[in-house]
């Protein structure tokens, strides 16, 4: 195997405390211990590729370790996410009651703020972000998931406004020291990791989930596209969803010889 | 022919993490198959207090399960990773001790199901049985199979798991023997010592 290529930033002497373990052992190994703390990472993939499942595992693992975790759900009701989480063996009901893990229905937030326009105006975007900022202060969240950025950005239609929104959002998350996964819903075509293309340029990392074909069979795959401050493999891994979490194996190609 | 106790003895003497190919004679397939299951899944399993993870690519798990019951394999000692029932459309009554894969071409998923079962029981000794290399070769190109076996057996070696690969002798195609020679520690010919008919 070729040695991993150096990342965009020279690797500094980092301890495990600077890394946010995802709970997915093989992914942590690829990322030299985890996601650099304070990073904002896009989790991109088409429907059914495991974005929500991966994000839930990330949060549960954090909550289990005593890091306050926050799930901002735009598309699925919180109650349904709790149902999904129960399929993990390491899920414990107490995590919800003690405030270690909080799930927020964003549509409810919209309603409270009176943000009922189909398209959010700049002042409404400001209100939304200020509310998020206040909520992060109050909840003291160390880990955040937004599922999905796509459905949120759908209400901000102009590209320059999306860019501003993204910059402001990552500023807020960084100021609070949150390690964040932003879920990005994309079509099955390769080459792009977000709907508008501006999101992926602003974030610190991109994890891509997808499907690979082998004859008639479809394999779930995961790839680290980018992760600032981390020299990492860009290889594709096959994903298996299990009650003990996501497991990864190298995606066998059966083409190149052992000398490669 | 190798006897059950010979075979059991040889498997028990293997260092932890070994990979052993058992070569079955196609003319005496049923005898050799039963011999292999008796010696590994039942006898070595009981004597070394190991549980077996049986990767079935040849027969649906329902059949493997009923054979194991006939042979008095303790049910709690057998888990089946069934990679064939789906494509044989034989998937009506899933067994609680089996896990089903959509196809025998999903080699990474076979590996991950085995890993899952191993991780579920940390501290428990395990034997992994692959039935069979020939069946895997029917569904997968040789290079892919080579990569799979190489990585699977390395992982199992690191976990000190004994792996038993069933291979039916096929003199017309040397590919499987060549493949096995690269990945296993030892090959035991179950028809050994008997003149061919
Ligand atoms: N433990 C599991 N075993 C098998 N399949 C699972 C498991 N957990 C979730 N799934 C399936 O994986 C699929 C993808 O889930 P999800 O994470 O919601 O994808 P996405 O958020 O990318 O749309 C769903 O169809 C779900 O049924
Ligand atoms: Mg989802």
């Amino acid at each position: 195997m070729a040695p991993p290529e150096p990342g965009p930033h020279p690797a500094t002497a980092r301890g495990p405390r600077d890394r946010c373990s995802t709970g997915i052992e093989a992914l942590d190994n690829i990322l030299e211990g985890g996601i650099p703390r304070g990073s904002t990472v896009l989790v991109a993939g088409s429907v059914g590729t495991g974005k929500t499942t991966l994000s839930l595992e990330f949060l549960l693992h954090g909550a289990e370790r005593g890091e306050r975790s926050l799930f901002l759900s735009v598309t699925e009701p919180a109650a349904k996410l709790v149902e999904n989480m129960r399929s993990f063996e390491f899920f414990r009901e107490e995590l919800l009651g003690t405030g270690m893990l909080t799930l927020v229905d964003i549509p409810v937030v919209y309603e409270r703020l009176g943000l009922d326009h189909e398209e959010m105006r700049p002042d409404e975007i400001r209100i939304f972000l200020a509310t998020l900022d206040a909520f992060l202060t109050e909840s003291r969240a160390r880990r955040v998931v937004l599922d999905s950025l796509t459905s949120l950005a759908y209400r901000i239609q102009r590209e320059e406004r999306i860019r501003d929104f993204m910059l402001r959002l990552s500023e807020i998350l960084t100021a609070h020291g949150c390690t964040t996964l932003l879920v990005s819903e994309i079509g099955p075509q390769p080459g792009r990791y977000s709907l508008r293309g501006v999101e992926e340029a602003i974030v610190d990392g991109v994890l891509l989930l997808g499907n690979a074909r082998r004859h008639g069979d479809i394999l779930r795959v995961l790839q680290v596209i980018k992760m600032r401050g981390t020299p990492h493999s860009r290889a594709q891994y096959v994903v298996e969803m299990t009650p003990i979490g996501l497991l990864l194996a190298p995606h066998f190609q059966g083409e190149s010889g052992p000398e490669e | 022919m190798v006897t059950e106790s010979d075979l059991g003895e040889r498997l028990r003497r293997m260092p932890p993490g070994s990979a052993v190919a058992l070569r079955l004679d196609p003319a005496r397939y049923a005898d050799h198959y039963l011999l292999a299951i008796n010696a590994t899944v039942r006898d070595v399993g009981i004597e070394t207090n190991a549980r077996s993870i049986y990767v079935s690519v040849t027969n649906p798990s329902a059949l493997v399960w009923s054979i194991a019951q006939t042979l008095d394999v303790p049910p709690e000692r057998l888990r089946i990773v069934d990679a064939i029932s789906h494509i044989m459309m034989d998937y009506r009554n899933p067994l609680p001790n089996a896990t089903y894969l959509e196809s025998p071409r999903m080699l990474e998923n076979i590996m991950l199901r085995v890993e899952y079962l191993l991780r579920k029981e940390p501290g428990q000794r395990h034997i992994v049985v692959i039935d069979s290399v020939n069946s895997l070769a029917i569904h997968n190109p040789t290079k892919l199979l080579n990569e799979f076996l190489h990585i699977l057996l390395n992982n199992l070696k690191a976990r000190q798991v004994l792996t038993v690969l069933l291979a039916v002798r096929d003199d017309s195609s040397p590919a499987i023997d060549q493949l096995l020679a690269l990945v296993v520690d030892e090959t035991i010919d179950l028809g050994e010592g008997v003149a061919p008919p």
Side-chain angles (χ1 to χ4, degrees), chain B residues 20-89:
Chain B
V20 184
L22 300 186
R23 200 188 273 128
L24 284 60
D25 186 334
R28 303 165 66 198
Y29 178 78
D31 287 346
H32 283 178
Y33 177 74
L34 295 178
L35 166 65
I37 301 307
N38 270 335
T40 55
V41 178
R42 190 189 60 197
D43 298 348
V44 178
I46 292 171
E47 285 154 33
T48 65
N49 189 26
R51 294 187 170 179
S52 293
I53 298 171
Y54 190 103
V55 177
S56 191
V57 190
T58 307
N59 295 309
S61 45
L63 179 58
V64 176
W65 187 257
S66 69
I67 292 171
Q69 301 239 280
T70 317
L71 299 177
D72 288 325
V73 171
E76 72 280 5
R77 291 197 183 277
L78 180 62
R79 296 284 175 281
I80 306 172
V81 176
D82 181 333
I84 197 72
S85 286
H86 260 289
I87 65 163
M88 288 171 76
M89 309 294 235

Side-chain angles (χ1 to χ4, degrees), chain A residues 75-213:
Chain A
T75 39
E76 289 179 86
K80 195 176 156 224
L81 293 166
V82 173
E83 268 324 298
N84 288 359
M85 278 192 289
R86 281 187 224 278
S87 67
F88 287 123
E89 266 173 22
F90 46 83
F91 173 74
R92 290 188 302 120
E93 213 73 43
E94 306 91 271
L95 296 175
L96 289 169
T98 54
M100 287 316 295
L101 181 60
T102 309
L103 294 98
V104 176
D105 280 310
I106 292 295
V108 174
V109 176
Y110 285 154
E111 207 175 306
R112 287 212 192 120
L113 296 175
L115 306 179
D116 44 13
H117 295 97
E118 181 120 350
E119 181 178 356
M120 275 204 261
R121 299 188 313 252
D123 60 314
E124 291 178 317
I125 297 172
R126 267 197 302 278
I127 292 172
F128 179 81
L129 287 169
T131 309
L132 178 65
D133 193 7
F135 193 69
L136 289 176
T137 307
E138 187 193 324
S139 68
R140 288 173 288 143
R142 311 307 302 145
R143 297 187 184 213
V144 176
V145 168
L146 173 60
D147 188 358
S148 67
L149 177 65
T150 317
S151 23
L152 199 66
Y154 184 73
R155 298 180 49 147
I156 311 169
Q157 294 176 359
R158 289 185 221 170
E159 190 151 319
E160 71 276 11
R161 283 187 192 165
I162 292 189
R163 174 172 285 275
D164 288 348
F165 169 80
M166 277 301 295
L167 285 169
R168 187 69 192 117
L169 177 68
S170 31
E171 259 171 41
I172 292 171
L173 292 163
T174 307
H176 287 279
C178 302
T179 307
T180 306
L181 302 184
L182 302 175
V183 172
S184 174
E185 313 259 4
I186 53 174
Q189 310 84 352
R192 262 217 173 170
Y193 311 115
S194 60
L195 219 51
R196 324 293 183 103
V198 299
E199 298 93 317
E200 64 215 54
I202 291 166
V203 293
D204 303 300
V206 178
L207 301 180
L208 178 64
L209 292 166
N211 296 307
R213 284 183 175 280

Side-chain angles (χ1 to χ4, degrees), chain A residues 46-54 76 87 147 220 241-243:
Chain A
S46 56
V47 63
T49 50
K51 302 180 296 298
T52 302
T53 308
L54 181 148
E76 289 179 86
S87 67
D147 188 358
R220 285 181 204 282
M241 294 176 180
T242 80

Side-chain angles (χ1 to χ4, degrees), chain A residues 89 214 217 240 252-254, chain B residues 103 105 108-109 113 147:
Chain A
E89 266 173 22
R214 177 175 296 152
D217 302 316
E240 173 88 16
F252 305 143
Q253 301 300 325
Chain B
S103 119
R105 287 181 294 266
E108 295 87 346
N109 299 88
R113 293 287 169 98
E147 199 175 348

